[in-house]
Amino acid sequence: NAGVTQTPKFQVLKTGQSMTLQCAQDMNHEYMSWYRQDPGMGLRLIHYSVGAGITDQGEVPNGYNVSRSTTEDFPLRLLSAAPSQTSVYFCASSPRTGGLAGGRDGNEQFFGPGTRLTVL
Amino acid sequence: AQSVAQPEDQVNVAEGNPLTVKCTYSVSGNPYLFWYVQYPNRGLQFLLKYITGDNLVKGSYGFEAEFNKSQTSFHLKKPSALVSDSALYFCAVRDPGTASKLTFGTGTRLQVTL
């Protein structure tokens, strides 16, 4: 298994450009999440999904869109990049062993290697 | 709302000495607690978790953590530190009713020296 893969590893954008960060997992996990990591702030949840066709906002969703058309893929779209979106982005997945509305399974998340994004 | 505090930005310890990385949490119900480690330019790796049961949980690479409900703490420990343990450590909490929404602390950098 490749686990959680993210592309690209590095990206430089100009303010106002749009792009999509790709995330894929081959573990058949229902849960997938996007985080951003900034110095001194830990990881903050951007968007998450509990299954194909279901997404929801996290702590810092503004400026980002997601969709989940398949179990395997969870792309993150930056609509109009801003310097404040300069960060390292991590995708994560975990299995769901409980019911859809529960989330009481306590499974740990598996993280991808990250995408380092710079917005000029 | 759930939250996690890691009060130390950095912990320095000599190789062979015991180490402790502190974590306190706030959550409305019984928490699910996790420790992750991040090596330079890498993603996060899972170390250990507390879901229920024994308050002392053991994880990867000789690490362990003790859940203390009265002090709302989940400190990470290792009896004998290695230079290779030097990394960034994150504590995270999840309310069992919130699906996959993890809340992370700000991280503690562990520096182990010879």
Side-chain angles (χ1 to χ4, degrees):
Chain A
N1 286 352
V4 180
T5 57
Q6 293 183 238
T7 56
K9 290 187 177 180
F10 303 94
Q11 184 70 49
V12 179
L13 293 177
K14 295 181 179 179
T15 297
Q17 288 184 314
S18 62
M19 79 159 295
T20 299
L21 307 185
Q22 301 292 344
C23 174
Q25 51 91 9
D26 61 359
M27 298 173 283
N28 203 31
H29 287 171
E30 289 85 354
Y31 294 148
M32 296 188 75
S33 303
W34 274 103
Y35 297 88
R36 58 177 290 173
Q37 181 180 22
D38 302 292
M41 302 190 74
L43 278 78
R44 293 180 292 169
L45 182 65
I46 304 171
H47 285 285
Y48 67 100
S49 170
V50 300
I54 306 171
T55 63
D56 206 347
Q57 296 182 350
E59 181 185 355
V60 288
N62 292 341
Y64 307 95
N65 273 359
V66 292
S67 60
R68 184 94 181 271
S69 57
T70 67
T71 298
E72 295 78 18
D73 300 301
F74 192 43
L76 178 72
R77 298 182 187 85
L78 280 69
L79 308 173
S80 177
S84 61
Q85 294 178 305
T86 294
S87 187
V88 181
Y89 291 84
F90 290 102
C91 180
S93 74
S94 61
R96 184 184 73 222
T97 52
L100 178 63
R104 298 180 183 276
D105 43 53
N107 293 315
E108 63 270 22
Q109 294 191 2
F110 295 80
F111 282 81
T115 295
R116 187 174 295 273
L117 175 68
T118 301
V119 182
L120 303 175
Chain B
Q2 57 199 41
S3 65
V4 174
Q6 292 182 245
E8 303 153 317
D9 290 336
Q10 182 156 328
V11 169
N12 299 307
V13 64
E15 187 174 57
N17 284 358
L19 69 87
T20 299
V21 182
K22 295 180 180 178
C23 171
T24 58
Y25 66 89
S26 174
V27 70
S28 58
N30 292 320
Y32 290 170
L33 294 158
F34 303 82
W35 277 102
Y36 288 84
V37 60
Q38 185 180 31
Y39 298 100
N41 301 314
R42 303 285 295 276
L44 276 69
Q45 296 178 27
F46 168 75
L47 276 180
L48 52 79
K49 65 183 178 183
Y50 172 82
I51 303 302
T52 188
D54 195 350
N55 289 344
L56 183 65
V57 294
K58 296 185 182 296
S60 307
Y61 313 122
F63 284 92
E64 58 188 29
E66 185 166 11
F67 171 63
N68 188 317
K69 187 172 184 178
S70 63
Q71 297 186 3
T72 61
S73 67
F74 190 56
H75 301 330
L76 182 69
K77 300 182 180 184
K78 187 174 182 181
S80 179
L82 298 172
V83 171
S84 57
D85 292 330
S86 299
L88 188 58
Y89 290 81
F90 289 98
C91 182
V93 67
R94 180 160 73 81
D95 183 325
T98 58
S100 64
K101 294 173 67 175
L102 268 181
T103 298
F104 285 85
T106 53
T108 299
R109 186 164 300 282
L110 175 65
Q111 188 71 43
V112 182
T113 54
L114 291 171

